[in-house]
Amino acid sequence: MPRPENPIKEAVRDMRTAFATLQDGPEHPGRLLVKRGLSPDAACRDFALAHAAVPARPRSASEPAVLYRQPEGPDLLLGLYGCERRLRGWLPGLEAGGWPSAVAKLQPIAPRPAPLDQEKWKRVALSRLPFPKITPRDAGPYVTMGFVIAGQGGADLALSAHRMLVLDDTRLGISMLASRALRALGQAAWAEGRDLPISINIGVSPAVAVASATATAHLPQRFDKLTLAGALAGQAVAVAPGLAGAACLPDSEFVLHGRLSAQTCDETIGDRPAGVTMPEFLGYDGHAGAVLQVVEVTAITQRPGAVLQATLGPGREQSAILGLGGALAQALALPPDTPLRDLRYAPAGGGMLLLYAALAPGATARCDLGALTRHLMAVMPFTKTVIYVDEDVDLTCDEDVLWALTTRCTLARAVGMIEDLAPLRMDPSQTEAWVEATGHAPARCWIDATVPPGLENAAQRSF
């Protein structure tokens, strides 16, 4: 299927190298901007109004990287990974083409032991870092691009991104879904009466960011997330012993070393109302449900001249990371005889809910799309809608998928519904309030927007 060639195919070992590719040369219109005079909170508002794209704002575009200079302390970086094509181009281990063929030759590359040659802060003071409030309604400042590592590697390794509320200079409140490997490791440690050593890595490489968004339970046995990141990067990821007992990534801009404790806290600060969190990946305000676990930060280390990477929550950046990670997880979990030729999680679904899938010619005549859809939803459980199209449809072009949806099916007849999966509560249309207002129970679906067998000549493009 049509797909632009990856623009960058070079060694990108860390976030700093990726950022440097945008700085090379005299001008990079729309890709790199530098702004001054804006606090971290004001920077988020500026980025949302001027640069953020769907689903954060009704803007169909990639996001630029914007470096917000701060008068004191580290600068704040938003949007670096806010372009699917740019982000995938920083994964030199991936071949060009559709996802199934691109991952066919991926082989694990074990992490490279390295020293933690970062500067250690004299004291822990989270307030010295420019963590922003994403909106004035937030419970407080949040760590939004913190990648948590627990364990040392292999089967006991957890690598995942979480939103973390800054409670004070030494404590964070971390949000974890019940299904996360990190929570399982934490519960095992608490059952033994101890805290779980972790590291929180901020400013990680593109390969680590994408690998973290895959589904651990469905990775092939030969991979864990760090060996997968090495495969994507085409080189080993540097891993060092952390100061709290967990492995860490010394090529990160900052590392927060600490312990995941059994203590809990509400997602609120001071006299603010409970229940309000930063915006979620679909573009709506989040709603705090379960209490947060408390992280005790015992040490902070950084690279010289480190910048703090953050993201809005919704928008192209979060969608690109989640979408590429989801497509990678799906491709790795496909059987060898798969009829799928390519996949893409669309930004309109926050990189998780809406999946485009290109099928081989004639696949619908020999493939049970309902069963295939259930398989895809089992691998990435946040998948809500799958749109099947032909190979000549460019999945990177949302208008092209909409064209196929409009001209290659009768939508009212082409939808298959799945009603026995759990609703996705982050999606407003799957909440109890929506059920009461509409009278329709939550469901998921797939759409067959492919040309029926034998009618290919009637549906050829003119150009």
Side-chain angles (χ1 to χ4, degrees):
M1 59 155 287
R3 178 184 285 276
E5 290 298 313
N6 293 337
I8 304 163
K9 281 297 181 185
E10 59 184 64
V12 180
R13 77 169 198 175
D14 55 17
M15 187 209 80
R16 190 168 293 197
T17 309
F19 182 65
T21 66
L22 301 185
Q23 294 179 298
D24 290 340
E27 292 288 340
H28 289 285
R31 292 207 297 167
L32 173 62
L33 301 170
V34 178
K35 296 189 175 185
R36 292 174 171 81
L38 295 169
S39 69
D41 296 1
C44 284
R45 175 173 173 78
D46 173 78
F47 191 90
L49 295 179
H51 308 296
V54 169
R57 297 281 294 172
R59 182 183 291 112
S60 181
S62 294
E63 293 171 350
V66 185
L67 185 67
Y68 291 93
R69 296 288 190 189
Q70 300 299 301
E72 295 182 3
D75 295 327
L76 178 66
L77 177 63
L78 296 172
L80 179 63
Y81 298 155
C83 170
E84 290 173 77
R85 184 169 178 262
R86 187 168 74 219
L87 180 54
R88 181 164 171 166
W90 284 325
L91 306 176
L94 271 183
E95 294 190 356
W99 276 98
S101 62
V103 304
K105 295 181 180 179
L106 275 184
Q107 293 298 324
I109 297 180
R112 170 176 58 85
L116 180 60
D117 53 358
Q118 295 191 346
E119 175 189 355
K120 182 182 177 182
W121 288 21
K122 293 181 179 179
R123 67 181 183 88
V124 175
L126 294 173
S127 58
R128 289 175 50 196
L129 292 169
F131 295 124
K133 273 188 184 180
I134 309 302
T135 78
R137 301 177 299 283
D138 290 2
Y142 277 90
V143 181
T144 57
M145 286 287 274
F147 293 78
V148 181
I149 290 180
Q152 297 294 327
D156 75 330
L157 176 81
L159 168 62
S160 49
H162 303 263
R163 73 168 187 266
M164 288 171 270
L165 176 64
V166 179
L167 300 173
D168 52 39
D169 260 353
T170 62
R171 298 184 308 142
L172 300 165
I174 183 171
S175 174
M176 296 180 292
L177 295 175
S179 59
R180 287 298 186 97
L182 179 63
R183 178 175 285 279
L185 290 175
Q187 289 173 331
W190 305 329
E192 297 174 359
R194 60 184 180 86
D195 294 338
L196 178 70
I198 63 170
S199 67
I200 302 169
N201 304 269
I202 302 173
V204 300
S205 70
V208 169
V210 172
S212 76
T214 59
T216 303
H218 294 277
L219 286 179
Q221 288 187 350
R222 66 185 186 276
F223 286 113
D224 62 39
K225 289 188 177 181
L226 286 181
T227 62
L228 178 58
L232 295 175
Q235 59 183 318
V237 174
V239 175
L243 299 183
C248 70
L249 305 177
D251 289 335
S252 302
E253 295 292 290
F254 294 93
V255 181
L256 312 182
H257 308 261
R259 304 183 300 267
L260 179 62
S261 75
Q263 300 175 46
T264 62
C265 65
D266 291 328
E267 195 158 9
T268 187
I269 286 181
D271 59 359
R272 293 185 60 80
V276 181
T277 73
M278 58 170 283
E280 291 285 2
F281 67 98
L282 288 176
Y284 302 101
D285 278 354
H287 300 282
V291 295
L292 306 181
Q293 297 296 143
V294 173
V295 173
E296 301 280 352
V297 180
T298 57
I300 298 176
T301 59
Q302 71 165 81
R303 296 181 69 182
V307 300
L308 186 83
Q309 188 179 21
T311 190
L312 288 187
R316 275 291 202 274
E317 185 164 40
Q318 183 88 314
S319 296
I321 295 170
L322 295 175
L324 292 182
L328 173 62
Q330 294 285 13
L332 287 168
L334 289 172
D337 59 346
T338 179
L340 292 178
R341 293 296 177 263
D342 203 5
L343 301 157
R344 181 190 179 223
Y345 278 95
M352 296 183 78
L353 269 66
L354 177 59
L355 176 62
Y356 302 155
L359 293 172
T364 54
R366 61 179 188 273
C367 175
D368 183 343
L369 292 185
L372 177 57
T373 302
R374 285 185 177 275
H375 169 79
L376 296 171
M377 290 179 176
V379 173
M380 296 302 289
F382 277 88
T383 307
K384 177 187 176 186
T385 302
V386 182
I387 302 177
Y388 294 103
V389 296
D390 298 292
E391 277 191 291
D392 68 322
V393 175
D394 185 351
L395 303 190
T396 67
C397 177
D398 296 289
E399 292 92 338
D400 208 31
V401 176
L402 185 59
W403 170 78
L405 196 66
T406 303
T407 66
R408 292 185 172 181
C409 74
T410 300
L411 190 55
R413 307 292 186 188
V415 177
M417 191 157 55
I418 297 176
E419 300 181 273
D420 58 349
L421 297 180
L424 304 168
R425 295 304 184 187
M426 293 179 180
D427 171 10
S429 71
Q430 299 224 330
T431 60
E432 291 298 330
W434 220 269
V435 173
E436 293 177 7
T438 65
H440 303 303
R444 308 193 201 189
C445 72
W446 52 266
I447 302 170
D448 182 1
T450 63
V451 177
L455 296 181
E456 292 82 5
N457 290 337
Q460 287 186 350
R461 297 175 187 259
S462 299
F463 303 99

